[in-house]
Amino acid sequence: MMNTNPWRTLPHDIYEKHMGHENVHQLQMLSLILREQLALVADMAKPTVAVLGITGGNGLANVIAGQYKAIIGIDINEEYLEICRKRYSHMQELELHQLDLMTEKSRVVNILTACDLIAANLIIKHIHLNNFMDIVSNLEKPIVSITIQFNPDGQSLSQSGYEAAFEDIQRHGMDCDELTIDAAMRGAGFIQTGRAEHELPNKKMLIRLDYKRKNIFMKGRKIYGSFIEIEPITKGWSEDKKYCVTATDGMKYLLRVTPISRYEVRKSLFAMLEQVAALGVPMCVPVEFGTCEDNADGVGGVYSIQSWIDGQDLEAVLPSLSETEQYVLGLKSGEIIRKMHSIPAPRHSADGVGAEEWESRFNRKTDMKIQKYHECGLRFDGDEYVLSYIEQNRHLLKNRPQCFQHGDYHVGNMMLENGEKPLTEALKIIDFDRYDFGDPWEEFNRIVWSAAVSPHFATGQLRGYFGGSPSADGFSPSADGFEPPLEFFKLLAFYIASNTLSSIYWAVPFGPSDLDTMMKQAQDVLTWFDNMRNPVPTWYLKEFYIQWIDGVPYKLKAPFDFSFLNKYGKVFKVFDNQGSGCICFGVEKAGKRYFLKFAGARTVKDYLQNPEDAITRLKYAVPKYKDLKHPLLINLIDAQAIGNGFIAVFDWFDGESCGYPQPEMCIRFMALSVEEKLRVYEGILEFHAHVAKCGYVAIDFNDHATLYNFDSGDFVICDIDFYAKQCYMNGYSGIWGAPFLMSPEESRSGAVVDEISNVYAMGATAFAFFCDGWDKRDRRIEDWKLSKKLYDVAKQAVSDNRDQRQQSIQQLIDEWRAAKG
């Protein structure tokens, strides 16, 4: 076979002309994939990496010299290796070997023994899966990253003009699909840790599959008994004793110790966790299982060790995230549970799981729940609607499939891992103690907990589960393309109704607090389902579209083409919840950052400003930024019509709004020293004195118009779009603005709004800063943090009587300075 392998004689220039052709695009994509693969060992000190089928480099341009102990390249074609050697002659760590991966496997294993990462991109087809497995099965420690090609049209080759040269290679190869490779790797003791898809022309796709040994953490030793630190964990309902432990090598793990009587149960759980982890589910990976002595009571125990997740509980973090971020995390959680549901229920088991029809099994469970609910002696208002719905919809259980279930899938059993990584990659699933087998749709009976925290997360979870996950640079199709079917919602209501009954008697032993929680949840359920008359819960959101640009998600009311933003740079941040009807982007180009404000798309708040009005408003705002140019005003660079809309380009300011839209930042700002807040407040006064001198009046100066950098102390005014020439007259009852900063005349139709009105806004801002709250309307001296003299100046500024206020911003500044002394 060595002499007949067609890869030995395929010219390198033909190879690259075909692979790099615009219809093929594999050469470019393989370079990107190798960059991703190198990131898998980025946290290792001087790792050794092997590239199988290295050809003329296949992505070696991504290697940063000096960061690796060795880069090993293997190929059968001597010409390819010589070209690679010349191209990367500067790379001292590069080791190239001419070997046939089909016939010289023992030599290959010897060379790869020291490797931390093996990149096998588009190689398995050509050396055949059995040969590849003979190699990797004999390696102890490496991460193995495999790339294969998926061809929906059944054609391996795309037209390039050179495909005839690959005919012998195609006959020599042996196609192998993802499931077959995954089964082989799992059978050899590997766990899938990652998966990524990369689109090619002609709808073809490269799929990257990452694996590591099950016991890669153990490195050939037993972890239990090697702890140097043990920290108890008290959170949770489990009977287990839980600990965060640190081993001698500094690695942290989760240790769980269970009574020995639970040995078989915990053994089954550990085996199940291994099966789930092999799917690439982000979770605490099972590492070690065994028995131990329990020194506390002298009774033996069962222990399990899992990888440690350094992060925060999602339930606590979720409210602080934007609605878009909540929704996207929901999408990801839906994808994850869909992957778990690919594990089928066992056909036979001692308790009848899988063997018994779901209809009879769950009806029996439902009967038991109804009986226990009646026996507990407690009732919640409206329980007759729940009981009636159950009886009228038992037929929905007929012919339902069964699969693996997490068993307690909600935000309380999810975490966000700390560190710099995309939000969705940080999502981790924990606590599989209640795993079971049953109807996959029953899994969502716990979504009530997630919906109570975030309707956006719960909505995203359902759309993600039913296939509504967007691609990296496109938008998810219209919601009705991924709407859960009505049958699902009917069953969801049935399962939630059943669970609502059992939650009442379940809570009784835990005391009044938990019982009150469950009683409230029962009322929430009745509200969501309109007393069980509508199976689609009220928290399920419609007309909610997610688009992605440069990997950043954002929401709209309708799809919109933002491809024109490429000219401004790469997007790193999107602000999609603006009341102005605009959507804003943070972009970076050539190391410099910019803030883009665009009008023309249907934003989620376009009920305040439709696209046409938003375009007009933004156009009218541009001259204001020029007229009012000031060191404390964000700097306008350019503005133009583009993309069926209008865009304004500003210098980027790295700061946080210190007002209502970001409560955490508001709290942090209010916690600054009085001296620091005085400096910011007096800067705001100075800017608005400038506004008055330029003949303008501040309309819609609000609590989030000031951006503050908590590292440098710098701050700017960022939003003057509604500022107007003096004097401004209301055209209707009320104008734009934060109510607690607006003068009384700003609420009256036909009233004049002028500099004296702005005096009121500046006085109200003083009370916000120095009474520690933007909505301190009572403005009591007991809450005031400054002197009585300064209080009197601010109090005069917020007089309802215009004539009693300071008559200009400059007069307010002068009196403030005099009172300050």
Side-chain angles (χ1 to χ4, degrees):
M1 187 176 294
M2 181 184 297
N3 295 325
T4 60
N5 192 322
W7 276 105
R8 283 187 177 276
T9 55
L10 181 71
H12 186 266
D13 66 326
I14 299 296
Y15 169 81
E16 290 205 336
K17 286 176 180 177
H18 172 74
M19 296 287 281
H21 192 275
E22 62 180 4
N23 288 340
V24 181
H25 202 64
Q26 288 188 1
L27 208 61
Q28 300 89 329
M29 196 59 71
L30 287 174
S31 178
L32 170 64
I33 288 173
L34 185 62
R35 184 167 72 224
E36 295 174 344
Q37 291 167 327
L38 293 173
L40 299 174
V41 291
D43 58 344
M44 294 185 185
K46 296 277 188 176
T48 296
V49 175
V51 181
L52 307 186
I54 197 166
T55 65
N58 258 353
L60 286 185
N62 296 292
V63 174
I64 300 176
Q67 290 192 359
Y68 301 88
K69 183 177 181 180
I71 301 292
I72 298 171
I74 295 177
D75 207 285
I76 195 173
N77 189 306
E78 186 175 1
E79 179 195 6
Y80 294 2
L81 293 172
E82 185 57 32
I83 289 172
C84 184
R85 189 175 289 110
K86 289 179 179 178
R87 282 181 177 175
Y88 300 98
S89 58
H90 64 283
M91 197 178 292
Q92 297 181 359
E93 55 268 68
L94 184 61
E95 300 176 11
L96 299 177
H97 301 268
Q98 184 187 7
L99 291 168
D100 189 331
L101 294 169
M102 300 179 71
T103 62
E104 300 177 275
K105 290 177 284 189
S106 59
R107 289 184 61 193
V108 173
V109 169
N110 289 335
I111 291 171
L112 299 182
T113 298
C115 287
D116 299 291
L117 167 68
I118 294 174
N121 299 331
L122 301 184
I123 195 73
I124 291 180
K125 172 180 177 176
H126 302 294
I127 69 171
H128 304 171
L129 181 60
N130 62 319
N131 293 312
F132 179 75
M133 296 310 302
D134 286 345
I135 293 170
V136 298
S137 296
N138 285 289
L139 301 173
E140 292 297 325
K141 71 173 185 175
I143 296 171
V144 179
S145 185
I146 300 165
T147 301
I148 60 174
Q149 181 171 314
F150 173 64
N151 309 303
D153 59 0
Q155 301 296 317
S156 298
L157 285 175
S158 296
Q159 293 183 357
S160 66
Y162 302 96
E163 57 268 25
F166 290 80
E167 289 180 356
D168 287 344
I169 283 174
Q170 290 300 306
R171 286 192 290 269
H172 178 270
M174 184 180 295
D175 287 322
C176 193
D177 62 28
E178 179 179 352
L179 292 178
T180 303
I181 291 172
D182 188 64
M185 292 296 287
R186 287 166 56 189
F190 286 85
I191 292 174
Q192 189 181 101
T193 58
R195 183 185 186 277
E197 297 178 354
H198 297 276
E199 291 186 7
L200 296 171
N202 306 317
K203 298 185 178 180
K204 299 181 186 300
M205 182 183 297
L206 295 186
I207 302 175
R208 194 193 82 235
L209 307 169
D210 303 326
Y211 294 89
K212 66 184 175 187
R213 285 284 188 188
K214 285 183 181 180
N215 294 328
I216 191 170
F217 295 108
M218 297 175 64
K219 300 181 180 178
R221 64 176 175 78
K222 184 178 178 182
I223 297 175
Y224 190 85
S226 67
F227 309 135
I228 56 176
E229 290 184 25
I230 302 178
E231 182 180 347
I233 301 171
T234 57
K235 183 183 176 183
W237 300 92
S238 170
E239 64 179 338
D240 292 1
K241 296 177 181 177
K242 294 180 287 187
Y243 309 89
C244 172
V245 298
T246 304
T248 52
D249 61 358
M251 187 78 76
K252 285 186 175 182
Y253 300 93
L254 172 64
L255 169 67
R256 304 183 68 145
V257 180
T258 308
I260 194 66
S261 60
R262 304 272 291 167
Y263 176 83
E264 290 300 330
V265 173
R266 288 307 180 197
K267 182 179 179 182
S268 297
L269 172 61
F270 193 83
M272 200 69 240
L273 291 176
E274 287 187 311
Q275 191 172 351
V276 175
L279 294 174
V281 170
M283 57 187 286
C284 294
V285 177
V287 177
E288 185 175 299
F289 177 84
T291 59
C292 60
E293 294 182 0
D294 188 333
N295 295 327
D297 52 23
V299 179
V302 185
Y303 76 84
S304 65
I305 298 175
Q306 298 165 251
S307 59
W308 179 257
I309 297 174
D310 182 21
Q312 306 173 72
D313 293 338
L314 181 62
E315 186 174 16
V317 176
L318 207 55
S320 66
L321 302 177
S322 71
E323 292 176 352
T324 302
E325 291 170 325
Q326 294 173 28
Y327 181 85
V328 168
L329 282 169
L331 284 176
K332 185 65 176 180
S333 74
E335 292 176 13
I336 292 170
I337 195 60
R338 187 175 69 227
K339 184 180 290 187
M340 291 190 210
H341 288 172
S342 68
I343 301 175
R347 294 183 179 180
H348 302 286
S349 67
D351 59 1
V353 170
E356 182 182 5
E357 289 291 333
W358 177 250
E359 181 181 14
S360 60
R361 182 176 166 220
F362 196 80
N363 267 324
R364 188 170 62 252
K365 184 185 290 188
T366 300
D367 290 340
M368 180 268 294
K369 289 182 177 182
I370 292 173
Q371 179 182 345
K372 287 190 174 183
Y373 173 70
H374 285 308
E375 290 174 350
C376 80
L378 297 172
R379 297 287 183 272
F380 59 86
D381 292 339
D383 65 351
E384 67 272 18
Y385 300 117
V386 171
L387 291 163
S388 176
Y389 185 86
I390 290 174
E391 294 307 323
Q392 293 173 18
N393 289 278
R394 288 180 184 259
H395 65 278
L396 297 172
L397 301 171
K398 192 174 183 63
N399 297 324
R400 290 299 304 158
Q402 298 187 59
C403 67
F404 169 84
Q405 297 174 331
H406 176 279
D408 201 16
Y409 200 69
H410 58 84
V411 292
N413 285 324
M414 300 178 192
M415 295 182 68
L416 276 187
E417 188 174 24
N418 295 331
E420 296 294 327
K421 61 179 62 178
L423 192 65
T424 53
E425 291 183 19
L427 182 64
K428 307 295 178 184
I429 312 302
I430 62 173
D431 198 352
F432 288 75
D433 282 19
R434 293 179 176 84
Y435 88 88
D436 199 354
F437 297 91
D439 179 2
W441 291 358
E442 190 217 2
E443 185 84 80
F444 295 94
N445 62 10
R446 302 294 206 279
I447 202 170
V448 293
W449 296 103
S450 301
V453 176
S454 168
H456 291 85
F457 179 92
T459 300
Q461 184 174 96
L462 297 187
R463 295 225 180 117
Y465 184 80
F466 284 93
S469 179
S471 62
D473 291 296
F475 61 84
S476 59
S478 62
D480 57 4
F482 296 111
E483 287 284 316
L486 184 59
E487 181 189 5
F488 167 81
F489 281 119
K490 290 179 178 179
L491 261 174
L492 176 66
F494 182 92
Y495 290 134
I496 289 176
S498 175
N499 224 44
T500 299
L501 295 179
S502 61
S503 68
I504 302 301
Y505 61 77
W506 171 87
V508 171
F510 295 101
S513 177
D514 288 301
L515 183 58
D516 288 345
T517 298
M518 294 307 175
M519 286 291 190
K520 179 183 181 303
Q521 186 180 90
Q523 296 308 309
D524 288 342
V525 167
L526 289 168
T527 300
W528 292 337
F529 293 106
D530 188 21
N531 287 333
M532 308 311 296
R533 289 190 289 262
N534 186 352
V536 181
T538 56
W539 50 255
Y540 184 76
L541 306 173
K542 296 186 177 182
E543 294 188 3
F544 191 89
Y545 295 83
I546 289 291
Q547 292 190 185
W548 296 68
I549 185 166
D550 295 331
V552 182
Y554 55 98
K555 60 185 176 181
L556 294 171
K557 269 195 175 179
F560 193 86
D561 182 7
F562 279 107
S563 58
F564 61 87
L565 291 180
N566 292 335
K567 67 175 286 187
Y568 296 101
K570 182 177 181 180
V571 174
F572 63 86
K573 180 77 173 177
V574 182
F575 306 87
D576 56 7
N577 205 34
Q578 311 303 104
S580 63
C582 295
I583 184 169
C584 304
F585 301 86
V587 301
E588 184 169 0
K589 186 174 184 179
K592 186 170 175 57
R593 290 186 164 192
Y594 303 93
F595 179 82
L596 312 181
K597 190 168 189 175
F598 179 81
R602 285 202 62 197
T603 66
V604 290
K605 288 191 175 181
D606 67 0
Y607 55 85
L608 301 177
Q609 289 269 292
N610 64 45
E612 293 74 23
D613 289 344
I615 290 171
T616 300
R617 178 68 65 181
L618 186 57
K619 285 181 178 179
Y620 285 166
V622 168
K624 302 171 188 178
Y625 286 92
K626 297 177 180 178
D627 292 347
L628 299 178
K629 189 175 181 64
H630 187 275
L632 291 177
L633 178 64
I634 190 168
N635 183 49
L636 176 71
I637 298 173
D638 186 27
Q640 61 177 299
I642 192 171
N644 296 317
F646 191 81
I647 197 167
V649 183
F650 299 85
D651 281 329
W652 175 263
F653 179 80
D654 200 7
E656 304 283 353
S657 166
C658 54
Y660 171 74
Q662 295 179 289
E664 290 184 356
M665 293 303 105
C666 180
I667 293 170
R668 189 178 176 191
F669 180 80
M670 291 303 174
L672 293 173
S673 68
V674 169
E675 291 75 19
E676 180 63 6
K677 287 190 290 185
L678 266 172
R679 185 178 68 86
V680 176
Y681 174 67
E682 290 171 358
I684 293 172
L685 286 178
E686 174 193 331
F687 172 71
H688 284 91
H690 167 73
V691 168
K693 288 179 182 177
C694 293
Y696 278 83
V697 59
I699 304 296
D700 191 33
F701 173 74
N702 54 61
D703 53 331
H704 54 274
T706 303
L707 299 180
Y708 182 84
N709 186 306
F710 287 93
D711 293 325
S712 67
D714 294 334
F715 63 95
V716 297
I717 308 297
C718 67
D719 188 357
I720 61 167
D721 289 20
F722 286 85
Y723 284 32
K725 288 285 188 179
Q726 293 210 48
C727 293
Y728 182 86
M729 181 175 292
N730 280 348
Y732 59 93
S733 181
I735 57 175
W736 288 93
F740 44 89
L741 295 180
M742 293 170 63
S743 62
E745 58 265 30
E746 291 176 77
S747 301
R748 295 195 299 267
S749 177
V752 171
V753 179
D754 57 11
E755 186 178 359
I756 300 174
S757 306
N758 286 170
V759 167
Y760 185 100
M762 295 300 101
T765 302
F767 280 101
F769 275 33
F770 306 113
C771 284
D772 291 343
W774 284 98
D775 203 8
K776 296 284 187 180
R777 302 191 194 198
D778 49 2
R779 296 161 182 159
R780 301 184 312 162
I781 192 169
E782 291 84 358
D783 299 323
W784 185 253
K785 300 295 190 296
L786 303 177
S787 69
K788 174 64 165 56
K789 289 182 179 180
L790 288 173
Y791 174 84
D792 291 340
V793 172
K795 189 68 174 176
Q796 179 184 344
V798 295
S799 172
D800 288 345
N801 187 329
R802 285 172 48 88
D803 294 337
Q804 292 180 5
R805 301 175 206 156
Q806 292 86 354
Q807 296 300 292
S808 69
I809 300 292
Q810 189 57 53
Q811 181 185 351
L812 174 61
I813 291 174
D814 292 342
E815 292 182 10
W816 182 269
R817 288 173 178 169
K820 186 178 174 183

